[in-house]
Amino acid sequence: MIEKIHHLLKEISEVTAHNREEVEQLRLKYLSKRGLVSVLFDDFRSVPAENKRQVGQQLNELKNRVQEKIDSLKATFETTDEKPPQPSDLTRPVSGVPGTRHPLSIVRNQIIDIFGRIGYSVTVGPEIEDDWHNFSALNFPPEHPARDMQDTFFIARDPEILLRTHTSSVQIRTMEQNQPPIRMIFPGMVFRNEAISARAHCIFHQVEGLYIDKDVSFADLKQTLMYFAKEMFGEKTKIRLRPSYFPFTEPSGEMDVSCNICGGVGCNICKHTGWVEILGCGMVDPSVLENCGIDSKIYTGFAFGMGIERITMLKYQIRDLRLFFENDVRFLKQFTGAL
Ligand code: DAH
């Protein structure tokens, strides 16, 4: 037995391989179930008790040597003739988000999250709209001067097809397809033919909100908007509702929040008034409900719409709207948001 072990020790020290396959052959020859070393372990059972200690030590030594030799031969071929192993799924996203999110996406996601906590789900609609969804169903009759408030881009000179001027069009699509209760928000991009400046752009983003059910009142609207303002701008934020006009709501209002830059004392962002307007809102006009097949004798509801750019500018004290569209990395890399 001892002789056999010595023989194998010598053999293994001299053995060599030229590629991975030969290494595998060696492993099978020595270490597989029927391999030379394993067979010796089987024979070990019949070694007389008084020799077991000595033989056992040598046998273990042999096994370790063989294993080491095979491991080291394997390692040589892994680094030379083998390509590095490919990750199993090349389409898998890298861990973590490379870069940072766009500030408008951060704020949009925050708005979705804030309303999500009080039961609002998210729906989106098309950016290319027809006259009915963008205007007529919302109580803008043809030739109505309110249409001029929203300088519209028409598609291919067709007055029926246009780029939506607001996300209110998604209210109509939603009410046409769903009966109350409806509690949804609609984020999206909108388009108006405006000259680009620090305060206006021809492309911007809105989030629209809609809540229709039995017994929904203006008090519900006010409470919902107050909750939103405090979640978005901080617990100390105050709100103020001013009467306004929109064709699709009656009564209509505009909501201001206390300026979070000067704390309401007055600065050039709030034009020294202490207040900044952030959204339009109101009780959905009964004829809009009827236009969408909802019985206005049973149901009431409120709607609101806000500009994401405006809210982001206030939140991060950004003074020029054009920065959102230029994608200058020096601007973008300042925003790190979890959402
Ligand atoms: N669609 C309006 C705009 O773009 C904003 C708005 C006002 C939306 C009042 C509403 C609302 O839902 O109730 O100027």
Side-chain angles (χ1 to χ4, degrees):
M1 182 92 173
I2 294 277
E3 236 172 63
K4 275 190 195 161
I5 293 173
H6 284 164
H7 174 73
L8 285 181
L9 271 171
K10 190 164 180 285
E11 189 176 295
I12 198 73
S13 69
E14 287 163 1
V15 96
T16 181
H18 300 97
N19 53 43
R20 273 189 86 160
E21 233 155 70
E22 284 184 23
V23 180
E24 180 58 11
Q25 290 305 324
L26 287 177
R27 190 188 68 77
L28 291 173
K29 178 175 172 195
Y30 292 100
L31 298 177
S32 67
K33 256 195 175 167
R34 307 208 155 269
L36 295 172
V37 177
S38 313
V39 169
L40 283 183
F41 270 93
D42 289 343
D43 296 349
F44 179 67
R45 269 186 240 124
S46 52
V47 170
E50 63 269 27
N51 294 340
K52 269 212 153 88
R53 202 178 133 86
Q54 193 205 356
V55 177
Q57 269 176 0
Q58 303 238 5
L59 200 50
N60 275 331
E61 170 77 14
L62 171 69
K63 191 183 160 198
N64 290 340
R65 284 279 166 82
V66 175
Q67 189 68 58
E68 278 164 21
K69 181 80 184 211
I70 287 174
D71 286 348
S72 81
L73 284 173
K74 218 186 227 171
T76 357
F77 296 115
E78 246 153 39
T79 49
T80 54
D81 69 343
E82 293 284 316
K83 284 188 191 144
Q86 292 288 317
S88 51
D89 180 0
L90 292 172
T91 62
R92 214 177 80 191
V94 290
S95 59
V97 180
T100 58
R101 285 204 192 282
H102 194 281
L104 294 178
S105 301
I106 295 174
V107 171
R108 183 201 52 218
N109 291 348
Q110 272 171 359
I111 297 171
I112 291 173
D113 182 58
I114 291 170
F115 282 103
R117 279 185 254 141
I118 54 170
Y120 283 74
S121 54
V122 179
T123 300
V124 291
E127 289 167 359
I128 298 177
E129 259 305 357
D130 51 32
D131 181 277
W132 170 255
H133 292 96
N134 196 81
F135 289 127
S136 297
L138 286 158
N139 256 354
F140 290 82
E143 315 304 333
H144 192 281
R147 291 193 180 210
D148 297 341
M149 281 159 57
Q150 312 197 345
D151 301 304
T152 310
F153 286 116
F154 293 96
I155 306 258
R157 295 178 197 210
D158 181 345
E160 285 298 313
I161 308 292
L162 45 92
L163 292 178
R164 68 177 174 200
T165 59
H166 52 182
T167 42
S168 303
S169 53
V170 197
Q171 278 188 39
I172 301 299
R173 289 187 174 274
T174 302
M175 289 192 284
E176 283 174 339
Q177 282 156 24
N178 300 277
Q179 280 297 310
I182 297 170
R183 203 183 317 183
M184 289 187 189
I185 54 169
F186 317 112
M189 199 181 266
V190 300
F191 310 85
R192 289 187 199 174
N193 190 3
E194 295 206 18
I196 296 170
S197 72
R199 299 172 59 88
H201 208 288
C202 55
I203 300 173
F204 56 102
H205 300 79
Q206 290 186 332
V207 175
E208 189 88 5
L210 180 69
Y211 182 25
I212 312 282
D213 204 346
K214 288 177 185 153
D215 299 325
V216 178
S217 71
F218 201 94
D220 298 317
L221 168 61
K222 189 174 169 190
Q223 200 61 37
T224 303
L225 295 180
M226 191 152 83
Y227 156 78
F228 167 71
K230 285 179 186 292
E231 291 294 310
M232 194 69 194
F233 297 109
E235 188 51 38
K236 292 210 181 86
T237 308
K238 295 198 188 74
I239 63 164
R240 176 172 90 167
L241 282 160
R242 286 177 289 101
S244 183
Y245 171 74
F246 299 101
F248 40 93
T249 43
E250 182 57 38
S252 304
E254 275 174 330
M255 184 175 93
D256 300 339
V257 290
S258 50
C259 179
N260 74 330
I261 293 166
C262 64
V265 186
C267 67
N268 60 354
I269 298 279
C270 62
K271 300 199 203 95
H272 300 281
T273 63
W275 295 97
V276 196
E277 186 220 312
I278 62 159
L279 55 79
C281 61
M283 301 306 291
V284 179
D285 193 303
S287 57
V288 173
L289 296 176
E290 297 293 339
N291 284 342
C292 302
I294 291 177
D295 190 340
S296 64
K297 285 186 228 57
I298 303 177
Y299 295 108
T300 53
F302 62 72
F304 54 86
M306 64 186 93
I308 304 182
E309 278 80 358
R310 168 62 73 88
I311 295 192
T312 311
M313 287 172 92
L314 259 186
K315 212 174 152 84
Y316 292 111
Q317 304 180 18
I318 297 162
R319 281 156 198 270
D320 193 328
L321 192 107
R322 289 168 290 198
L323 286 164
F324 292 130
F325 299 92
E326 284 165 358
N327 284 333
D328 185 329
V329 280
R330 290 168 301 179
F331 172 69
L332 294 178
K333 74 181 176 192
Q334 299 174 67
F335 301 93
T336 45
L339 280 162

